[in-house]
Each structure stands twice: as structure tokens, then as C-alpha cells.
Amino acid sequence: MSTADRLPRLLALVPYLMSHPGAQVPEVAKIFGLSEKQLIDDLQLVWMCGLPGHTPGDLIDVSWDGGEIVIDNADTIARPLRLGVDEASALLVALRMLAEMPEFGERDALSRVIAKFEQAAGEGAATVSSQVAVEVDATPDALPAVNEALRRGRRLSLRYYVPGRDEITPREVDPMRLVVVDGRSYLSGWCYRAEAVRLFRLDRMLSVEVLDVTAAPPADAVPDEVTPGVFRPSPTDELVELELTPAGRWVAEYYPCEHVEELGEGRLRVALRARDQGWLLRLALRLGDTGRVVSPVSLAETVREAAAAALSRYESVSGRAG
């Protein structure tokens, strides 16, 4: 395990032990997802940590004789770590995505977890996450209506949310097929607004109406190929360069990139295209300190301003709470 993985665990382990006197080695190892040997290795490292000076009075005192962990002289790091804005945002995004999955059964429990986490994370974290994952009041009738239109060969009238532009658009669509990608349902069909085949996520449909009009997509219209994923840029889209840390490498795996360059130590420089800067801004905020925009310069500046504004608001709220 790398130092980057181990340090956050140690900073969480010490406050836990301080607040749970008499904790047992097997119990703590299970809570932190470690073997007992790994936990003892961590405790041996904690024993060598402390304040500058490194005299016995400066170092943390920890023992585990008989399986009971006793820790002392660690008051300076007794307070648990707080999530950063990017960490809080990423976790909230993941929780909300899980809540949207139709096969997830514990929605009430998850809703309570999300509500408690938002309250604990603070307004600043909730503000950033709202820029990354937008909740839409989708209609529950989308799937039955789409299935009916496909079965009867009828056109659909939609009110559809476009997250990239943060707007709701009316659409008339001749449905071609229904597909599921990464647990989400999509309608592939001929969109008369775009005059092209488009994919529409069912959980972004605010209303769906089956029209008494026969669906008649152009003869040369081909349903979208979804095997490589649902994000497919156009050659005319803006080219953007990102530098990614090892924790941000998922971007190169999830989105089609025109160029990928290894920078060493697990870092990457990637070039990809996107239709609008709104989508890129949300991606950059989601990455947090695991990636940065290299070019265009205008986008990098927009990301810095948005992140600074969110952080300022977060610190303001945290200061009032403290």
C-alpha cells in the first residue's frame, strides 16, 4: 500500500482510538478493513510519530499488549479529518447515482444517509456537488411510454433535461431501440430537433407522451452504437488538455481521448473533445486535485474561479459553524 493510501488511514485511526479507549485489535482491524498484522504495522508507525523534537515526551504513546489498544499523548491529532470539498462532492455524486439505480432497493435508508452527509459536509460541499450532479424530477412514466411507442411504432413527445446546457428542451423523437448502459436506460431515436440520431437518458425525461403519429425515422438513420460508451465527441468539438494524477486516470478509461501521454509516477496528460464548457467545468470540479485543465487557458481560468468561489463559500459556512 502506498504512503498516499496509508497516511489518511493513520490520521483517521488515531482519533478513533482516542475516542474508543480499550478498543481491541481484532475489532479495530475489522472496522478499518485490515488484517491484524496490518493494523499492528500501523500502530508501530504511530508509535514513532509526534511533535517536532522527537523526544519521548513529544511522541505518541501507544501499546497493544493483550490485544487492548491504549493510546496517549496524541491530543494534537485527536480530531477526525474533515472531508475536502472535492472529496465531499465525489461522495455525494456517488450516493446520488446509487439512489438513481432502479435495482437499488434501500432507497429510504440511502436518502437518510445522503441527508445526514449533506448536513455534516456543509453547504459548501453541497454547492459544489450540485454543479456536478443535477437532480431531475424525472417522470416515472418514461419507461412504460417508451416501451409502448416502440411496440406500436409511434412518435414520442418529450420534455428533456440537457445537463450540458442546464436547460429543458422539447423534443419529438421517433424511437428506434431501448438500451441499458452502466445500469442506466437510454432511448436511441431520431430527434427532429437535432435532425440526427440521439440518445436520451430515461431519468432525464421530465415528461413523455406517445403521439398518434407513426414513427418514421430516415431510412439511413442508424441507432447509436453504445458498446464503447454513450459519450462520443464530434471532430468539431473543442479540444481540451488535462493533466491527471493516478487518482484521476479514470477519465482516460471512461471517456474517448484523442491523445494519452504517460508523464511518469502514474500521471497522465490527455486530450479530449467536448461539446460545451459547462460539461467540462463539472468534470474539472469533480476531479478536484486529481486533475487540472492545461488548455484552453480560458477554461482553466473559469475552473479556478468556480473552485475558488465554492471554497470561499465553504470556508465561510464552516467559520460560522465553528
Side-chain angles (χ1 to χ4, degrees), residues 3-265:
T3 302
D5 294 324
R6 197 175 187 187
L7 179 59
R9 187 175 72 237
L10 292 175
L11 292 174
L13 176 62
V14 172
Y16 178 84
L17 294 175
M18 291 289 288
S19 61
H20 293 79
Q24 299 291 314
V25 168
E27 167 196 349
V28 176
K30 183 177 180 181
I31 289 172
F32 282 83
L34 304 171
S35 67
E36 292 186 23
K37 181 182 182 305
Q38 288 174 317
L39 175 60
I40 290 173
D41 287 344
D42 280 355
L43 294 175
Q44 289 174 332
L45 182 57
V46 168
W47 187 65
M48 295 184 287
C49 299
L51 296 172
H54 306 294
T55 66
D58 298 318
L59 299 177
I60 296 174
D61 185 16
V62 61
S63 65
W64 51 94
D65 294 337
E68 179 180 333
I69 304 174
V70 178
I71 190 167
D72 195 14
N73 202 32
D75 294 338
T76 53
I77 56 173
R79 184 178 178 180
L81 287 173
R82 296 189 65 178
L83 290 174
V85 174
D86 58 319
E87 295 169 318
S89 301
L91 185 53
L92 277 170
V93 168
L95 290 171
R96 287 170 175 166
M97 289 180 65
L98 182 61
E100 292 175 2
M101 296 179 67
E103 62 270 26
F104 188 81
E106 300 295 331
R107 296 188 183 279
D108 290 342
L110 185 58
S111 296
R112 292 194 295 271
V113 170
I114 291 173
K116 289 180 180 178
F117 181 76
E118 287 177 336
Q119 182 179 6
E123 184 179 343
T127 299
V128 174
S129 66
S130 70
Q131 298 181 60
V132 181
V134 178
E135 293 185 357
V136 177
D137 189 15
T139 174
D141 300 326
L143 182 58
V146 168
N147 281 329
E148 179 187 352
L150 285 166
R151 178 174 52 83
R152 296 176 54 202
R154 292 292 185 267
R155 185 172 300 171
L156 287 168
S157 174
L158 313 176
R159 288 178 61 246
Y160 187 73
Y161 176 71
V162 183
R165 299 190 297 273
D166 191 25
E167 66 179 15
I168 298 170
T169 60
R171 308 284 183 119
E172 287 199 1
V173 179
D174 286 345
M176 301 171 74
R177 66 171 178 169
L178 185 66
V179 295
V180 177
V181 182
D182 295 332
R184 299 185 184 278
S185 298
Y186 294 80
L187 167 67
S188 179
W190 178 264
C191 175
Y192 285 88
R193 179 188 178 96
E195 296 185 344
V197 175
R198 289 288 184 266
L199 280 172
F200 299 94
R201 259 175 57 171
L202 267 62
D203 60 357
R204 290 179 179 161
M205 296 180 181
L206 278 65
S207 66
V208 185
E209 180 185 357
V210 180
L211 302 178
D212 192 19
V213 177
T214 301
D220 58 351
V222 178
D224 275 323
E225 177 56 52
V226 296
T227 303
V230 297
F231 176 80
R232 281 176 301 284
S234 163
T236 60
D237 292 340
E238 184 172 27
L239 186 65
V240 178
E241 281 191 312
L242 304 173
E243 281 190 6
L244 307 168
T245 70
R249 291 176 68 99
W250 61 268
V251 172
E253 300 170 0
Y254 195 82
Y255 299 113
C257 297
E258 293 198 356
H259 177 72
V260 178
E261 177 186 357
E262 291 281 354
L263 300 178
E265 300 181 345

